[in-house]
Structures are given as C-alpha cells and as structure tokens.
Amino acid sequence: IVFAAGNVHLDCDGEPSVTCINSNQANSTVGAVDHNLLPQPYSSRGPGFCSPYHPLVAAPTHGVLPWWGGWIDTGSLGAGTSSTAPQVAAALAVLRSAFPLATNVELRASLAASAVDSGGRATTGWGPTLGYGLLRVDKALEILPSIKDHPFYGQLKAAAERTLVADVIAQQVKG
C-alpha cells in the first residue's frame, strides 16, 4: 500500500508529522520534492508515529510532471504529496511485474537501497525529510535481485517484524 506522507509539516513546529495510518510498516509512504529536487516545506516529516522509516522515499511534486527529457514545471497544478504517491505505486508495479515472487519488504527495500539524494548520490541511510532519498525505479530494478544482502533490507525487515508482533499483542489485549 502506498500513502502520501501528508502536507502538514508546516503546522507541526518541526515535529514528526507522518500519522499512524500512513506509517504502518507494511506501507510505502512518500514525501515530496520540488522541480529542483529539494524538499517541499509542507511535506510531512518522519519518523512515523507508529513505526520508523517513514517517509520511505520522496518524489517530485508541486506541478512537476515527468516527461521523457526531464521535468515540466506547471506551477501549482498538482501540488502536494498526493501527487507523489502514484509515482511510487507505479514503481512498485514495475518491480512486481519484473519480480512477481518478491516480498513486500524486498520491494520496499529495493526502493530504499536505490534512492539518491538531491545531488544524485547514493544515500547512506534514512532521514526524516526524504526518507531514504529520491525515487529511482531504474536502480531499484538493478538492485532487487540481490536486495537481501543490503543493510536497508535487514533494517526494514526488522521494523516490519516489530510491527507484526505489536499488532498480535494489541489483538490479544483487545480479545
């Protein structure tokens, strides 16, 4: 499941602002950058209220439409993290079609491991503004076959397992 990170960071006095439903560990939460690949000031920041590593990655927004030769800035048309989520959903669909047996953690880890910073360099870890970095589905396709060897895989897998244990305990307490 892909969620927009939300557009409430400016209302949160610098505090984490990715809500619980958006930060379930099975979800891929997406932040927003502008046409210069810089973080949008309104894009909600992590860590998520219910689990870490949210947003997972970031993608262009604020009237920025991808086209074959780069980006077209259309002003304020389409602004917000809601326009970034379909980009990650499409990336996950491409990955799933190429690797139909990949698990959710493997797919999400390949997005994390392939992400780059605003300068196009590989990232070294998660951060509250861009998550693991900017979406690069082409790199994710290259990385996915060997993703279990990448440290981000172990990080996301452990977080997912902690979330599953917490869900089971919550159900037992309710029941």
Side-chain angles (χ1 to χ4, degrees), residues 72-107:
I72 300 172
D73 189 348
T74 61
S76 63
L77 177 67
T81 58
S82 292
S83 66
T84 64
Q87 295 175 60
V88 171
L92 288 168
V94 167
L95 293 171
R96 172 66 73 200
S97 68
F99 300 95
L101 300 179
T103 67
N104 181 29
V105 172
E106 291 169 340
L107 295 171

Side-chain angles (χ1 to χ4, degrees), residues 35 60 63-74 87:
H35 65 281
V64 179
L65 301 175
W67 66 285
W68 186 251
W71 301 98
I72 300 172
D73 189 348
T74 61
Q87 295 175 60

